[in-house]
């Protein structure tokens, strides 16, 4: 178990603040000469840090060696452990993880590319620089969001847009902001309201898809989201790994939710297992490595917004 810090290209800013590094926890499991590994990205929103995750993993090391996953582990640590177990099993059995999980062979997927929260002018300029990409995700959630949307749409009139407010709007401004999203042809809005205030959405008519992120963590909580949300954002660092994420995706489909497969900002090692769940998604947001100053080698290849399957030498 080790903590790593990967510099972000510039900074990454959302409604809750900015960061300049992606801080991750890496778990390596060894059997003989074979090593399986996985990466988790602790998220401050859920009270997790890399040091907390590392200490928690060290504390239950003997249980992990016995094949257990203690409930006390933070979700990012559980994710790294679960991903490492899948990778180790794939290497020991000589079969890809998608085969072991009973999935079809994965194909390239279109991923969103994130435009970090900034001034309207800066965000519009950023969007214009990446106008060749098929899907842009716009970070909002601060005063001036209408101006940001208008400036971005003017700079990229043909681009597909989705929006993430990161709990930054209120019930009072929601009608105004969703009207602006409709005007600027936004397809989907992530987590417009704080998770504790999302009951308001149950009676709210909308013309834009609303996706749960901070309100959606596992398959067990999906029933409570029915009637409030049209889609759910599945992230391995919220579910606690690929195993639960696959269960959540299947459950979400059965309940009629659209699926977004998302990520925290991490390296290609975080994205590799998430890529398997992305095969079931309506929207994919696995651009973490594109936001870094440098990625792992060999990293996942992205070709004009099309995310390629990870190499076996990376994971799985």
């Amino acid at each position: 178990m080790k903590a790593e810090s990967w510099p972000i290209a510039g900074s990454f800013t959302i409604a809750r603040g900015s960061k300049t590094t992606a801080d991750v926890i890496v778990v390596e499991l060894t059997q003989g000469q074979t090593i399986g590994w996985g990466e988790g990205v602790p998220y401050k929103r859920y009270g997790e840090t890399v040091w907390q995750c590392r200490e928690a993993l060290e504390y239950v090391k003997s249980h992990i060696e016995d094949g257990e996953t203690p409930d006390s582990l933070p979700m990012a640590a559980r994710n790294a452990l679960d991903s490492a177990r899948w990778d180790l099993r794939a290497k020991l059995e000589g079969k890809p993880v998608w085969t072991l999980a009973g999935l079809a062979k994965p194909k390239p997927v279109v991923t969103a590319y994130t435009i970090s929260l900034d001034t309207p002018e800066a965000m519009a300029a950023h969007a214009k620089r990446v106008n060749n990409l098929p899907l842009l995700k716009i970070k909002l959630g601060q005063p001036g969001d209408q101006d940001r949307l208008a400036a971005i749409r003017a700079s990229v009139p043909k681009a597909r847009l989705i929006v993430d407010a990161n709990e930054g709007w209120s019930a009072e401004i929601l009608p105004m902001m969703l009207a602006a999203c409709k005007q600027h042809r936004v397809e989907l809005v992530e987590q417009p309201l704080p998770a504790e205030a999302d009951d308001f959405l149950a009676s709210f008519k909308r013309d834009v898809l609303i996706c749960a992120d901070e309100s959606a963590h596992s398959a067990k909580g999906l029933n409570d989201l029915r009637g409030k949300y049209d889609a759910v954002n599945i992230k391995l660092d919220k579910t606690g790994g690929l195993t639960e994420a696959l269960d959540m995706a299947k459950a979400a489909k059965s309940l009629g939710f659209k699926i977004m497969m998302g990520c925290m900002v991490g390296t290609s090692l975080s994205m590799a297992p998430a890529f398997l769940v992305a095969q079931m998604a309506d929207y994919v947001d696995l651009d973490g490595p594109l936001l870094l100053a440098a990625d792992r080698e060999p990293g996942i290849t992205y070709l004009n917004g099309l995310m390629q399957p990870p190499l076996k030498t990376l994971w799985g």
Side-chain angles (χ1 to χ4, degrees):
M1 300 86 170
K2 58 182 178 179
E4 296 179 349
S5 187
W6 294 78
I8 291 171
S11 64
F12 182 73
T13 302
I14 66 172
R16 279 189 290 272
S18 301
K19 63 180 183 179
T20 57
T21 59
D23 300 315
V24 307
I25 186 77
V26 176
V27 170
E28 293 184 353
L29 300 177
T30 302
Q31 185 168 327
Q33 299 298 311
T34 305
I35 299 175
W37 67 335
E39 177 181 302
V41 187
Y43 196 29
K44 186 178 179 181
R45 166 66 172 77
Y46 304 121
E48 296 183 0
T49 68
V50 289
W51 305 111
Q52 174 203 33
C53 287
R54 190 172 74 170
E55 289 179 4
L57 286 162
E58 291 288 354
Y59 185 73
V60 297
K61 188 174 180 179
S62 61
H63 295 278
I64 292 172
E65 291 171 346
D66 290 337
E68 300 174 27
T69 304
D71 292 337
S72 61
L73 284 177
M75 286 301 174
R78 293 174 69 90
N79 174 27
L81 176 59
D82 186 67
S83 297
R85 282 177 170 155
W86 278 106
D87 187 44
L88 180 62
R89 181 185 169 195
K91 290 171 178 173
L92 289 172
E93 296 188 23
K95 298 177 182 178
V97 170
W98 57 266
T99 296
L100 298 176
L103 304 173
K105 185 176 181 179
K107 300 177 181 179
V109 295
V110 171
T111 181
Y113 175 82
T114 303
I115 306 296
S116 203
L117 184 64
D118 207 325
T119 65
E121 297 77 14
M123 294 180 75
H126 190 177
K128 192 168 186 177
R129 289 196 300 272
V130 294
N131 194 28
N132 62 306
L133 301 179
L135 180 63
L136 301 182
K137 175 173 173 174
I138 312 303
K139 288 289 188 179
L140 298 178
Q142 290 289 318
D145 281 346
Q146 287 177 296
D147 293 335
R148 293 182 178 94
L149 272 177
I152 291 167
R153 177 49 80 197
S155 71
V156 288
K158 296 182 180 180
R160 293 178 60 207
L161 301 180
I162 57 178
V163 156
D164 187 1
N166 283 115
E167 303 180 282
W169 296 343
S170 65
E172 289 73 24
I173 70 167
L174 185 62
M176 174 184 70
M177 288 311 308
L178 289 185
C181 287
K182 181 183 179 183
Q183 176 187 352
H184 297 299
R185 306 194 313 280
V186 171
E187 299 179 20
L188 173 145
V189 175
E190 278 186 74
Q191 201 67 44
L193 303 180
E196 64 271 14
D198 65 4
D199 283 346
F200 178 81
L201 298 173
S203 59
F204 188 81
K205 295 183 179 180
R206 75 290 301 264
D207 296 312
V208 179
L209 295 174
I210 297 181
C211 178
D213 184 358
E214 286 84 353
S215 290
H217 296 89
S218 67
K220 294 179 181 178
L222 288 174
N223 270 320
D224 292 337
L225 303 181
R226 298 180 75 181
K228 301 177 188 178
Y229 293 97
D230 310 296
V232 292
N233 188 339
I234 300 173
K235 295 177 180 175
L236 302 191
D237 289 304
K238 292 190 302 179
T239 65
L242 174 62
T243 303
E244 172 61 26
L246 289 170
D247 289 343
M248 185 175 178
K250 293 170 186 174
K253 285 285 189 185
S254 70
L255 292 172
F257 289 107
K258 290 187 178 297
I259 293 174
M260 170 181 275
M261 188 62 212
C263 66
M264 310 303 183
V265 183
T267 77
S268 284
L269 183 57
S270 279
M271 307 304 132
F275 183 81
L276 298 183
V277 190
Q279 303 297 307
M280 298 181 243
D282 302 282
Y283 291 89
V284 176
D285 178 28
L286 296 178
D287 64 341
L290 298 178
L291 306 177
L292 301 178
D295 189 17
R296 297 186 190 276
E297 293 290 346
I300 291 175
T301 299
Y302 295 80
L303 300 173
N304 293 323
L306 195 64
M307 182 182 186
Q308 306 299 309
L311 298 175
K312 288 191 291 184
T313 47
L314 171 66
W315 183 88

